[in-house]
Amino acid sequence: DAGVTQSPTHLIKTRGQQVTLRCSPKSGHDTVSWYQQALGQGPQFIFQYYEEEERQRGNFPDRFSGHQFPNYSSELNVNALLLGDSALYLCASSIQEGSGTGELFFGEGSRLTVL
Amino acid sequence: DAKTTQPPSMDCAEGRAANLPCNHSTISGNEYVYWYRQIHSQGPQYIIHGLKNNETNEMASLIITEDRKSSTLILPHATLRDTAVYYCIVRVNWSARQLTFGSGTQLTVLP
């Protein structure tokens, strides 16, 4: 059973460019959340997608946008990249409703470097 | 969600119990305590969670004080592979998927 998979694992962009990161949730999960983790800090919540809609959003500008597809996979898009966007971007999947521990399953992340 | 306070770092000898404290003095009655850990260059991993009773699973034990203002995560027999950053997180209920991570505790298990 594959867990959460993210791609690409590493990428380098320059300021002003746009980037798209992809995430496939764990089998059976319908909710995807995205987190940004700067070096030496804990992950920060960006937003959550369920039923192809953004359900919750953290304190991130509109340059950060996302999408969820009918197969529950998700994309994170960041426009007009800034140096400060350099970070590890983590995808987490979960089940929105029903029984379970409510835990989130995280992928290994996509490390973005903005030059 | 209530704010948590954890020591920035701790060491533990391999084979000994690792006891990681967390203060959450402003916790509300309907807030759960969750623990995650993050091994270097990997995504965070769920460990355990609890509301008011002590909990145990195959990974760890969670001890929550009676007033619920603090808790302790116990790794009974720490191994080198337990070296990681451990995050204590308090949130309203299990169905609220957003997690608010602090800085966590860097646990280093020494040989």
Side-chain angles (χ1 to χ4, degrees), chain B residues 12-20 37 56-61 73-83 86 107-110:
Chain B
C12 176
E14 187 178 20
R16 304 296 294 270
N19 296 279
L20 292 92
R37 74 179 182 183
T56 296
N57 62 21
E58 65 279 3
M59 290 183 66
S61 295
L73 178 74
I74 301 173
L75 308 179
H77 305 287
T79 70
L80 298 179
R81 291 183 297 177
D82 291 323
T83 293
Y86 287 76
L107 174 68
T108 301
V109 180
L110 304 172

Side-chain angles (χ1 to χ4, degrees), chain B residues 42-97:
Chain B
Q42 297 183 20
Q45 175 191 24
Y46 166 84
I47 302 173
I48 199 167
H49 78 285
L51 182 61
K52 59 178 73 174
N53 298 320
N54 298 337
E55 302 287 345
T56 296
N57 62 21
E58 65 279 3
M59 290 183 66
S61 295
L62 173 61
I63 308 298
I64 302 174
T65 58
E66 191 170 346
D67 63 7
R68 302 206 328 118
K69 292 185 177 182
S70 66
S71 60
T72 301
L73 178 74
I74 301 173
L75 308 179
H77 305 287
T79 70
L80 298 179
R81 291 183 297 177
D82 291 323
T83 293
V85 177
Y86 287 76
Y87 295 100
C88 169
I89 300 164
V90 174
R91 64 176 186 176
V92 173
N93 58 57
W94 69 266
S95 65
R97 302 302 169 177

Side-chain angles (χ1 to χ4, degrees), chain A residues 5-61:
Chain A
T5 58
Q6 294 186 241
S7 64
T9 56
H10 296 81
L11 69 166
I12 300 173
K13 294 286 187 178
T14 57
R15 283 178 297 176
Q17 286 189 313
Q18 179 264 344
V19 68
T20 297
L21 308 177
R22 296 175 177 83
C23 172
S24 292
K26 180 178 171 63
S27 177
H29 286 189
D30 57 9
T31 302
V32 173
S33 301
W34 287 91
Y35 289 77
Q36 180 196 64
Q37 186 173 24
L39 197 62
Q41 298 182 20
Q44 300 297 307
F45 176 74
I46 303 175
F47 44 52
Q48 177 195 95
Y49 276 83
Y50 171 63
E51 290 185 328
E52 303 179 46
E53 292 186 8
E54 183 181 297
R55 299 292 178 162
Q56 285 185 307
R57 189 178 183 92
N59 187 27
F60 280 81

Side-chain angles (χ1 to χ4, degrees), chain A residues 57-77:
Chain A
R57 189 178 183 92
N59 187 27
F60 280 81
D62 292 345
R63 297 187 299 109
F64 289 78
S65 63
H67 189 78
Q68 186 180 34
F69 300 93
N71 66 352
Y72 308 121
S73 66
S74 176
E75 289 182 349
L76 164 65
N77 301 291

